Amino acid sequence: MRLNFNQFTQRGALDAAAGGSFITATGGTVTTDGNYKVHTFTTSADLVVTAGSGNAWVRLVAGGAGAGSYAGGGGGSGGNIDSGAYDQALIVGTYPIVIGAGGAGASANTGPGSNGNDSTFNGLTAVKGGGGAGGSGDPAASNGGSGGGAASGETGAEPHSGGTGTAGQGNNGGTSRRYGGGGGGGAGAVGGNSGAGGNPTAGGNGGVGIASSISGASEMLAAGGGGASNGSGATAPGTGGSSIGGDGKTGSTAGGDAAASTGSGGGGGYNGAGGQESGGKIQIRYQFQ
């Protein structure tokens, strides 16, 4: 049964009155929000429940993907899982936390960015971000939690397709035409297609992320990287989603890097290297008093 925030608070009080005990646990960076504690992990470690039992609200974000070069597409965000209203049961024991590292951006003029890596906790798996496409020919973007953006390429039918996202965790990457890369998909929206607004050199914007309030304060997570733009004439590289994905670039400038520990994708490079991803995050919230 899935419970909302108020229902969980009421149930916790009833459990305590009936002789139950609240959770005591260690691991990660621990913060307090009223009667709740939040454990935030940005590196792999263990959550150790030393006493008590109860249900937890959990958010997992996988590692974002690197972006492509040579008119490269933006990297896709890592997959996002929100367990909902306190539906992860915790008892005394050790729970391994695996934080997915991000994938590297492509070196200048070499091709696609690397995929991210999965994040896992208690049977849940957030799927790695899909790398942004790059290189000449008819390059393919990678699938993932969110798909990577397509590269413009030099041959093959246009538009080139972006990578496919994982249902319930992310979205597809944007398509591309001759002079701009598509934006990487984000957890909140698909990546933008290149050539928007009638400008054939424009890179696609990265898909927006998801706002999370599990810590008690709102933050953005899991956005896509922007696509690269042709380095001559009117240029408009794509911007990273939600200001946390990496920005696409033009000329020989390397694509922008994603904000740290947000599971976001890097920005595409045109002749420069693709931007770097960011690693994932796992947060666990439960009532402790």
Side-chain angles (χ1 to χ4, degrees), residues 61-260:
V61 178
S69 181
Y70 202 70
S77 75
N80 167 77
I81 294 178
D82 182 349
S83 77
Y86 301 93
D87 62 358
Q88 290 293 300
L90 298 179
I91 60 175
V92 172
T94 298
Y95 297 82
I97 302 282
V98 176
I99 301 297
S107 299
N109 293 328
T110 61
S114 299
N115 294 338
N117 292 274
D118 296 345
S119 292
T120 63
F121 168 74
N122 201 30
L124 300 173
T125 299
V127 178
K128 60 192 175 188
S136 61
D138 189 9
S142 296
N143 304 328
S146 285
S152 68
E154 297 298 334
T155 63
E158 296 181 351
H160 303 289
S161 298
T164 301
T166 300
Q169 295 196 24
N171 290 281
N172 296 346
T175 65
S176 69
R177 295 185 182 275
R178 180 59 58 89
Y179 298 114
V190 299
N193 300 330
S194 72
N199 177 2
T201 70
N205 294 331
V208 298
I210 289 287
S212 172
S213 60
I214 189 171
S215 68
S218 182
E219 64 175 329
M220 295 300 299
L221 297 169
S229 172
N230 183 10
S232 62
T235 61
T239 59
S242 301
S243 299
I244 57 174
D247 291 334
K249 298 295 182 179
T250 190
S252 59
T253 303
D257 296 337

